[in-house]
Amino acid sequence: DGGITQSPKYLFRKEGQNVTLSCEQNLNHDAMYWYRQDPGQGLRLIYYSQIVNDFQKGDIAEGYSVSREKKESFPLTVTSAQKNPTAFYLCATQSDRGNQPQHFGDGTRLSIL
Amino acid sequence: QKEVEQDPGPLSVPEGAIVSLNCTYSNSAFQYFMWYRQYSRKGPELLMYTYSSGNKEDGRFTAQVDKSSKYISLFIRDSQPSDSATYLCAMSAVDRDDKIIFGKGTRLHILP
């Protein structure tokens, strides 16, 4: 079944803890993205990667880190430096064939304990 | 001026009505236009994808682009309670390195 899988669906972070959100895709898409969605603020780009072993900062990268060791996987780590991590995190993919739309996973809701 | 403006709503309409959702934008380089539907606690789902000006129809949905006015619309005919969701517009320019810019979304409620 083709698609984008984000896990876990819900995640809780303790003070000073790093947590990692998983994003896996089997669409064979080259580009992958991480967005943060807060009420009333829309989607804000955290990091993106257009090719394996390469990634770029988005508009709000501070307090986050990523890796792209495989085409299928683009995990996001929310570090303790991110002081306001409570949000809905969305992973998206995009084919490299021309100007194609992005496709989204079903998100991870991160909350602070 | 923000690149993409979208009224947050909420917009409440009775079942069976025609719904009109709109976005305005400021960047004349935008050529690709998208509409996404997002249910609560779910990721956005692509509804419509159009290039340049004109209309595109898919079932009960029609996307309309007016580049001269920098204005795009999504019409939903015979609206159903299952259409209740947040609708996000999105757009990008021609260069493959250009990012997709999203509107903040309009919350739509279809009243049974």
Side-chain angles (χ1 to χ4, degrees):
Chain A
D1 197 25
I4 302 162
T5 303
Q6 288 190 243
S7 62
K9 195 170 178 65
Y10 300 97
L11 188 58
F12 298 91
R13 196 191 88 169
K14 294 180 181 179
E15 196 75 33
Q17 186 182 43
N18 293 353
V19 292
T20 298
L21 285 60
S22 170
C23 179
E24 302 279 332
Q25 57 109 351
N26 60 6
L27 300 172
N28 200 34
H29 286 175
D30 292 291
M32 298 185 74
Y33 303 80
W34 275 106
Y35 292 91
R36 171 179 172 143
Q37 188 174 39
D38 296 277
Q41 295 211 46
L43 296 172
R44 291 187 289 169
L45 183 63
I46 304 172
Y47 267 99
Y48 64 102
S49 168
Q50 293 182 315
I51 196 169
V52 174
N53 291 323
D54 189 42
F55 49 82
Q56 285 78 40
K57 292 181 179 180
D59 302 317
I60 55 163
E62 186 174 349
Y64 300 96
S65 66
V66 293
S67 63
R68 187 85 188 275
E69 297 176 2
K70 299 186 300 182
K71 187 175 184 177
E72 302 79 16
S73 180
F74 191 41
L76 173 74
T77 297
V78 183
T79 75
S80 57
Q82 173 49 246
K83 297 307 179 188
N84 184 23
T86 297
F88 190 49
Y89 290 86
L90 287 161
C91 175
T93 71
Q94 184 180 30
S95 170
D96 193 40
R97 296 180 183 177
N99 294 87
Q100 295 298 310
Q102 291 179 12
H103 299 272
F104 288 85
D106 271 342
T108 293
R109 174 71 183 176
L110 175 62
S111 301
I112 295 182
L113 280 177
Chain B
Q1 183 183 12
K2 294 176 183 171
E3 275 198 292
V4 177
E5 301 252 24
Q6 187 175 9
D7 189 325
L11 177 64
S12 297
V13 299
E15 183 177 355
I18 295 175
V19 175
S20 173
L21 301 165
N22 311 294
C23 286
T24 59
Y25 62 95
S26 58
N27 188 348
S28 58
F30 288 147
Q31 296 277 4
Y32 296 90
F33 303 92
M34 291 142 275
W35 284 97
Y36 290 84
R37 177 177 63 196
Q38 185 177 20
Y39 291 116
S40 181
R41 299 187 191 89
K42 293 285 192 178
E45 171 195 9
L46 180 68
L47 278 179
M48 301 288 278
Y49 177 56
T50 57
Y51 171 71
S52 197
S53 284
N55 292 359
K56 181 177 182 179
E57 188 174 320
D58 184 0
R60 296 184 296 111
F61 299 91
T62 299
Q64 193 173 78
V65 176
D66 182 350
K67 291 191 66 186
S68 62
S69 302
K70 297 192 182 70
Y71 189 88
I72 68 170
S73 300
L74 178 70
F75 299 97
I76 307 174
R77 291 185 299 280
D78 187 24
S79 55
Q80 307 293 313
S82 59
D83 295 326
S84 298
T86 297
Y87 290 80
L88 293 85
C89 64
M91 47 201 80
S92 68
V94 175
D95 191 316
R96 64 182 288 277
D97 290 331
D98 284 316
K99 299 183 191 63
I100 293 178
I101 308 299
F102 291 87
K104 293 185 178 181
T106 298
R107 284 188 297 144
L108 174 65
H109 296 299
I110 305 299
L111 306 171

